[in-house]
Amino acid sequence: MRFCCLTVLLLSGVVGISQNCDYILSGAVLDAHDGSPLSEATLVIAGLEIETTSDINGAFSIPNLCKRTYAIQVYHQDCSAKGYTVKVDGNTSKTFKLEHHLEELNEITVKGEKKGKTKTIIESKLSNKQLEEYSGSTLGDALNSISGVSSLNTGNAIIKPLINGLHSSRVVIINNGVRMEDQEWGAEHAPNIDINTAGSLTLIKGAGALQYGGDAVGGIVISEAPRIQVKDSIFGKTIINGASNGRGGSLSSQLTKSHNNGWYASLQGTIKRFGDYESPNYILSNTGIFERNASFRTGLNKFNYGFEGYYSFFKNEIGILRASHIGGAQDQVNAINSSVPLIIEDFTYNINAPKQEVAHHLVRFSGFKKFEKLGKLNAQYNFQRNNRLEFDIRRGDDADKASLDLELDTHTFSLDLESNSYKNTTVKAGILLGYQKNFANPNTGVRRLIPDYEKTDVGVYSTANHDINASWSVEAGVRFDYTLMDVLKFYRTSFWESRNYDVLFPELVIKDFGTQVLTNPELTFSTVSATSGISYSINEHHKFYFNYSLASRPPNPSELFSEGLHHSASRIELGDLTFAQEMAHKFALTFQKQEEVFNFSINPYINTINDFIVIEPTRIQQTIRGNFQVWEYRQTNAQLLGVDLDASLQLTNNLSFNHQFSIVKGYDRTRDIPLINIPAANTKNEITYENEKLNHLKIGLQSEYVFEQNEFPNTNFEVFIPETGNSELVDLSTPPAAYHLINLKSNIDFKLSKTSLLNMGLKITNVFDTSYRNYLNRLRYYADDLGRNINLTLKINY
């Protein structure tokens, strides 16, 4: 009897088990960022020989499961693997979300990526591989390889990106999540970024990405650190550059340690040293540079949360062409009218006055947390300290003292939320709080160009994009910013009265010293920025983008308060206290074709800017330090219109052709004259040979042609020469002639071991040593641009 009962119980158990093992677990594997399906993802049930793969829609189905809890591991080739625990009690549906990271592409420029910062503005991206070619150069040099981007140069080492004709405060630069605050108002103030810290560089031509700021009248440059995968590894790279022009080079090295549990740390450093650069026919005396940079970051990266601490230090010493700082009026006229610099000395690595020294500290703490129904919440605090020293040619006890000494401290806190809670819709919103203090050292013995001030910023924004269907997407956003500036500024009484400030702003004077007055302007600016646009996929190969952006920019301290000699710029600059904020309306269209053999994109745009602030030369003024050009700011209505064109053709399996063309026209609509410093039309054509079987050999020959700028304002004036008693014309308007440069570059890989790779690169710029002058080089009045440069690069990955 006991045996019979036991048999019945065992059979009942078997029947029970068999009845509960016909359940189905189904669902989808999706991208955690935008909910797009991940095909060919592998799902493995731990402890059982059960494995399946998701289909093209990310869907999967696992049959014959029992009523129990399973441990499931989900893998995808572009993602970090993630484990899940799933309780099966009947037919069960489950969605798995993975942190999807696309692999680095080999293309030099990636146009219009789907997962960009915006969806209705075509973006340009430089990959890590392309950036490594510029390891010994600057951020501006790298950006100059993108259509629509030129550079405003002060000699060879100070390069500011100029996007669709706009630069300085109109271009927002984001460095590893931090908006750079490095006194970008100066025409010769280059971005304080070591390009070797960037894993990728993204350019947005316009103010469409409102989360980064509403004042990007020209565009936004986003430098992002290399992505660190969640795995147990230690890796790094070292890049060595040697260059013939400047007879120097650079060394950059980076080492990263990562762990399976998400912890990581990375250390990077760079040193660059160059002596005097050379034109084809003479040495450009006092143009050397000495740069030292370091950065460190560490953090924890989990799927649902993470945080990071980051610190970088950038220090640069840059010589300014000695021939650009001249004495009397006759010398100034002779220097501008001469075909060669008036001062040419022997080559040296010494950097003497005139020069500038810049030190920039950046500290950032950031973290994120994902909430199932709310979205991803990001919080960040950063601090920046920028110290800028400019040295003029001085004698006596002040010879080694800086003529301009500015220290700028910036504190910023931001909170952002990104939500995909609504089907096919992504919503972003955030708030920013900022405090900035500028201290101008009064003990320089020279009138302070930029005054002491405190600035408070508050900004809020919201953006949304919605995929209507597989072809149509729409995007819209709005941002509000409030700025308060509290300034202490000394004015010369004669200047104060000549500008009629004594009548317009008598309440600003807090003390009268007779020859000068101390004032306390408190200025507020409230700005609204917005964006809207659409993108349409005509078919698999053709896309269309349209975007409208409204950008608002308050005037910067230089435009408002400059009143004196800007030493490293070698000119007197005069601002205006009455300036209002700029308002820019930009319309941009893009048509894009992407196929295996032929690709192209065409991007026409028009940018109408009300109350545009422009600086122009007006005269030469004699001072106790010599004669200097006087450049004055004024406000007008402007319009810029142009087109950027990119095309590529795969001629054979190994041979390809790339073409770029850009043209922009800028007009002062109030005076009906062209704007100053608008880049001339230019085109680049390159033919490239690549062969993976020959150690990834790559050879490229590039033709770069810059047309003569035929539209420019007449800013010439006459100068009285005491020595002769006559007046002579100073021509600051006429642009230099067109020029044509040939450049060559090549690289090849050698495998050193299973984990180490050596890449050798050779680049020759201005192969034929052509003499030319660039209209956008501020020192073109005094000297030719650079001659031939042979650059050898060695990169070791380990």
Side-chain angles (χ1 to χ4, degrees):
M1 183 67 179
R2 185 178 299 175
F3 174 77
C4 293
C5 292
L6 181 59
T7 302
V8 171
L9 288 173
L10 288 173
L11 290 174
S12 300
V14 172
V15 173
I17 293 174
S18 64
Q19 288 176 345
N20 291 330
C21 288
D22 57 359
Y23 298 140
I24 299 174
L25 173 64
S26 61
V29 182
L30 305 178
D31 184 338
H33 292 287
D34 60 9
S36 59
L38 297 180
S39 61
E40 299 184 1
T42 301
L43 298 90
V44 178
I45 298 182
L48 302 176
E49 294 183 2
I50 299 178
E51 180 178 315
T52 190
T53 303
S54 61
D55 63 17
I56 192 172
N57 297 314
F60 69 91
S61 178
I62 306 176
N64 304 323
L65 297 182
C66 305
K67 180 181 178 181
R68 55 172 287 192
T69 299
Y70 293 92
I72 299 178
Q73 199 76 8
V74 185
Y75 302 88
H76 190 274
Q77 62 178 356
D78 297 331
C79 307
S80 300
K82 183 165 178 62
Y84 294 88
T85 300
V86 179
K87 184 178 180 180
V88 175
D89 186 2
N91 292 334
T92 304
S93 178
K94 181 70 175 179
T95 298
F96 300 115
K97 294 184 178 181
L98 296 184
E99 189 76 21
H100 187 221
H101 297 312
L102 291 176
E103 294 178 346
E104 288 289 343
L105 301 180
N106 292 324
E107 287 83 1
I108 289 178
T109 305
V110 182
K111 302 292 290 184
E113 290 186 316
K114 181 179 179 182
K115 297 178 191 215
K117 313 299 179 184
T118 68
K119 280 200 171 185
T120 61
I121 301 177
I122 193 167
E123 300 174 7
S124 301
K125 185 172 181 178
L126 300 181
S127 68
N128 183 260
K129 186 175 182 180
Q130 168 66 2
L131 294 176
E132 289 174 345
E133 295 183 17
Y134 294 92
S135 175
S137 303
T138 69
L139 178 78
D141 289 315
L143 289 169
N144 214 359
S145 65
I146 300 175
S147 63
V149 181
S150 304
S151 57
L152 184 65
N153 292 21
T154 301
N156 48 276
I158 304 175
I159 301 174
K160 294 178 70 74
L162 191 145
I163 303 172
N164 290 157
L166 300 171
H167 61 87
S168 298
S169 296
R170 300 181 183 96
V171 174
V172 172
I173 297 179
I174 307 297
N175 179 17
N176 199 13
V178 178
R179 174 172 172 149
M180 295 297 290
E181 299 287 352
D182 49 8
Q183 298 160 333
E184 76 287 347
W185 45 265
E188 83 303 349
H189 298 186
N192 298 155
I193 296 178
D194 177 9
I195 196 170
N196 293 285
T197 63
S200 65
L201 207 60
T202 302
L203 171 67
I204 302 172
K205 299 174 185 176
L210 293 179
Q211 69 186 89
Y212 300 109
D215 55 345
V217 179
I220 301 169
V221 178
I222 304 171
S223 173
E224 296 177 291
R227 185 175 292 122
I228 299 176
Q229 294 186 354
V230 180
K231 63 180 181 179
D232 192 12
S233 178
I234 182 169
F235 56 93
K237 65 179 180 181
T238 296
I239 303 177
I240 303 172
N241 283 280
S244 62
N245 203 328
R247 308 180 198 181
S250 67
L251 171 66
S252 180
S253 192
Q254 179 177 312
L255 185 65
T256 301
K257 179 69 177 80
S258 60
H259 299 271
N260 286 326
N261 59 8
W263 284 98
Y264 61 88
S266 183
L267 179 66
Q268 182 272 339
T270 301
I271 185 168
K272 297 179 184 178
R273 186 75 161 111
F274 289 90
D276 292 335
Y277 289 87
E278 299 177 47
S279 74
N281 300 307
Y282 45 79
I283 290 174
L284 302 169
S285 296
N286 198 52
T287 56
I289 66 171
F290 186 24
E291 181 180 317
R292 293 86 79 194
N293 312 309
S295 66
F296 174 75
R297 65 182 180 130
T298 184
L300 175 66
N301 185 17
K302 294 288 190 180
F303 179 76
N304 289 321
Y305 66 93
F307 58 84
E308 181 177 272
Y310 176 77
Y311 169 76
S312 71
F313 174 70
F314 179 97
K315 185 174 178 61
N316 205 358
E317 183 180 4
I318 305 175
I320 307 295
L321 181 71
R322 179 63 182 85
S324 66
H325 285 235
I326 308 296
Q330 184 67 64
D331 291 339
Q332 183 73 234
V333 172
N334 291 343
I336 293 175
N337 293 335
S338 175
S339 60
V340 298
L342 296 187
I343 299 175
I344 301 176
E345 299 173 342
D346 293 336
F347 174 87
T348 179
Y349 288 98
N350 296 331
I351 301 175
N352 301 309
K355 66 176 182 177
Q356 57 180 244
E357 294 182 6
V358 180
H360 190 92
H361 299 266
L362 187 155
V363 179
R364 174 177 64 86
F365 298 101
S366 61
F368 74 90
K369 172 66 178 175
K370 294 180 180 177
F371 299 92
E372 183 68 27
K373 295 182 179 180
L374 183 63
K376 184 178 180 180
L377 185 66
N378 298 276
Q380 177 173 295
Y381 164 78
N382 63 75
F383 167 75
Q384 299 177 71
R385 169 165 290 176
N386 186 274
N387 182 229
R388 180 174 187 85
L389 303 174
E390 296 185 3
F391 295 84
D392 198 2
I393 299 170
R394 308 172 75 178
R395 295 172 176 82
D397 296 337
D398 292 334
D400 297 326
K401 183 183 294 185
S403 299
L404 184 145
D405 184 348
L406 299 177
E407 185 171 272
L408 184 70
D409 287 352
T410 307
H411 300 263
T412 306
F413 174 78
S414 62
L415 196 64
D416 301 272
L417 176 66
E418 179 179 355
S419 176
N420 299 306
S421 300
Y422 303 98
K423 186 178 180 180
N424 299 326
T425 301
T426 299
V427 177
K428 294 181 182 179
I431 183 170
L432 176 141
L433 304 174
Y435 171 76
Q436 187 174 85
K437 182 177 182 179
N438 182 73
F439 172 72
N441 189 343
N443 300 317
T444 60
V446 178
R447 171 176 290 275
R448 288 178 282 184
L449 178 68
I450 301 297
D452 294 346
Y453 67 83
E454 295 182 350
K455 183 162 74 79
T456 303
D457 295 295
V458 179
V460 292
Y461 77 91
S462 179
T463 64
N465 63 69
H466 175 68
D467 296 328
I468 299 174
N469 52 42
S471 299
W472 288 92
S473 293
V474 296
E475 183 176 42
V478 64
R479 181 181 177 111
F480 173 79
D481 288 279
Y482 173 81
T483 299
L484 168 65
M485 296 182 66
D486 188 356
V487 185
L488 281 176
K489 162 72 176 172
F490 282 95
Y491 281 97
R492 288 176 293 117
T493 302
S494 58
F495 182 82
W496 180 261
E497 294 176 350
S498 69
R499 292 297 178 104
N500 206 32
Y501 291 164
D502 56 328
V503 176
L504 296 173
F505 310 111
E507 73 282 359
L508 299 185
V509 178
I510 57 177
K511 195 166 185 179
D512 190 336
F513 294 90
T515 58
Q516 61 179 351
V517 291
L518 176 62
T519 64
N520 181 207
E522 292 186 359
L523 308 178
T524 60
F525 299 93
S526 297
T527 60
V528 176
S529 307
T531 185
S532 63
I534 60 171
S535 65
Y536 173 56
S537 296
I538 301 172
N539 52 44
E540 183 181 355
H541 303 294
H542 299 81
K543 292 183 179 180
F544 171 81
Y545 301 83
F546 167 77
N547 180 268
Y548 161 74
S549 60
L550 166 67
S552 302
R553 185 185 74 89
N556 64 42
S558 176
E559 295 162 339
L560 290 166
F561 304 113
S562 288
E563 185 217 352
L565 181 59
H566 191 174
H567 298 273
S568 67
S570 186
R571 67 189 190 190
I572 294 170
E573 296 179 0
L574 302 176
D576 196 316
L577 190 56
T578 64
F579 283 161
Q581 62 204 34
E582 291 181 348
M583 296 283 289
H585 303 267
K586 185 173 184 179
F587 297 87
L589 294 172
T590 302
F591 178 69
Q592 181 186 62
K593 177 180 180 180
Q594 290 184 316
E595 291 181 336
E596 290 186 8
V597 176
F598 179 59
N599 298 281
F600 81 87
S601 69
I602 183 169
N603 172 218
Y605 59 88
I606 182 169
N607 198 354
T608 301
I609 309 175
N610 298 324
D611 293 320
F612 181 74
I613 300 173
V614 62
I615 184 170
E616 296 171 330
T618 58
R619 60 189 184 277
I620 285 182
Q621 180 175 318
Q622 184 174 0
T623 73
I624 59 174
R625 301 183 186 281
N627 281 59
F628 295 92
Q629 299 173 26
V630 177
W631 287 62
E632 290 194 50
Y633 290 100
R634 65 179 178 87
Q635 204 155 34
T636 185
N637 293 326
Q639 190 172 69
L640 295 98
L641 59 160
V643 62
D644 300 329
L645 175 66
D646 291 86
S648 65
L649 178 64
Q650 193 69 38
L651 301 172
T652 68
N653 290 335
N654 303 112
L655 206 61
S656 62
F657 173 76
N658 289 280
H659 169 77
Q660 291 181 353
F661 174 78
S662 296
I663 185 171
V664 57
K665 297 292 186 178
Y667 300 103
D668 181 336
R669 291 305 187 192
T670 303
R671 296 187 177 183
D672 197 24
I673 58 173
L675 291 175
I676 195 172
N677 286 338
I678 297 297
N682 63 88
T683 182
K684 295 177 184 177
N685 296 279
E686 182 175 357
I687 189 164
T688 304
Y689 173 81
E690 294 185 75
N691 194 327
E692 292 187 6
K693 296 180 180 179
L694 295 178
N695 292 43
H696 292 89
L697 174 66
K698 182 177 181 180
I699 302 174
L701 183 65
Q702 183 191 70
S703 165
E704 178 182 358
Y705 188 84
V706 178
F707 295 82
E708 181 176 348
Q709 177 58 275
N710 56 12
E711 293 186 321
F712 53 92
N714 183 356
T715 55
N716 299 336
F717 48 81
E718 290 189 342
V719 175
F720 178 74
I721 309 300
E723 292 86 349
T724 64
N726 298 318
S727 295
E728 294 192 33
L729 181 69
V730 177
D731 185 356
L732 298 181
S733 301
T734 307
Y739 60 89
H740 184 206
L741 304 179
I742 299 296
N743 307 311
L744 175 69
K745 62 181 179 180
S746 64
N747 60 72
I748 189 170
D749 293 339
F750 296 99
K751 194 168 185 178
L752 302 179
S753 67
K754 291 183 179 180
T755 58
S756 297
L757 184 71
L758 171 65
N759 176 271
M760 296 181 62
L762 177 66
K763 181 189 291 186
I764 306 176
T765 55
N766 194 2
V767 172
F768 297 111
D769 212 19
T770 302
S771 295
Y772 71 98
R773 298 196 181 195
N774 185 341
Y775 175 61
L776 294 178
N777 191 333
R778 294 184 51 260
L779 301 185
R780 67 178 174 86
Y781 304 114
Y782 309 103
D784 289 342
D785 266 275
L786 294 183
R788 181 189 301 114
N789 185 31
I790 303 173
N791 186 288
L792 178 64
T793 301
L794 300 177
K795 184 189 74 170
I796 303 175
N797 286 330
Y798 44 84

